[in-house]
């Protein structure tokens, strides 16, 4: 389980919005320097949320 998956649990339980979820994931990836292709791809595996309209391409698989 990747750290953004914890944000997904909040989103899935309707505790946060899709916008808040995507923003938090993007900030975490940037802040931790997890922007390499394999890391980004692994981060989003198993998270069925489309954030392509909110995040830069380098933060999406």
């Amino acid at each position: 389980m990747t750290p953004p998956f914890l944000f997904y649990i909040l989103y899935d339980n309707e505790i946060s919005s899709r916008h808040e979820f995507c923003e938090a994931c993007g900030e975490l990836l940037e802040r931790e320097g997890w922007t390499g292709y394999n890391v980004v791809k692994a981060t989003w595996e198993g998270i069925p949320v489309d954030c392509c309209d909110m995040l830069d391409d380098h933060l999406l698989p």
Side-chain angles (χ1 to χ4, degrees):
M1 174 170 37
T2 62
F5 193 77
L6 299 174
F7 296 140
Y8 175 70
I9 293 170
L10 295 174
Y11 168 75
D12 192 46
N13 287 294
E14 299 179 358
I15 296 171
S16 68
S17 68
R18 184 175 76 90
H19 178 79
E20 291 169 323
F21 167 78
C22 293
E23 187 175 272
C25 288
E27 288 176 10
L28 177 67
L29 291 170
E30 287 280 4
R31 185 177 57 246
E32 298 298 326
W34 298 336
T35 56
Y37 175 78
N38 289 330
V39 175
V40 170
K41 183 179 174 192
T43 296
W44 292 105
E45 286 180 2
I47 297 177
V49 179
D50 183 5
C51 293
C52 69
D53 59 330
M54 295 182 204
L55 298 177
D56 294 335
D57 290 340
H58 74 283
L59 298 175
L60 298 168

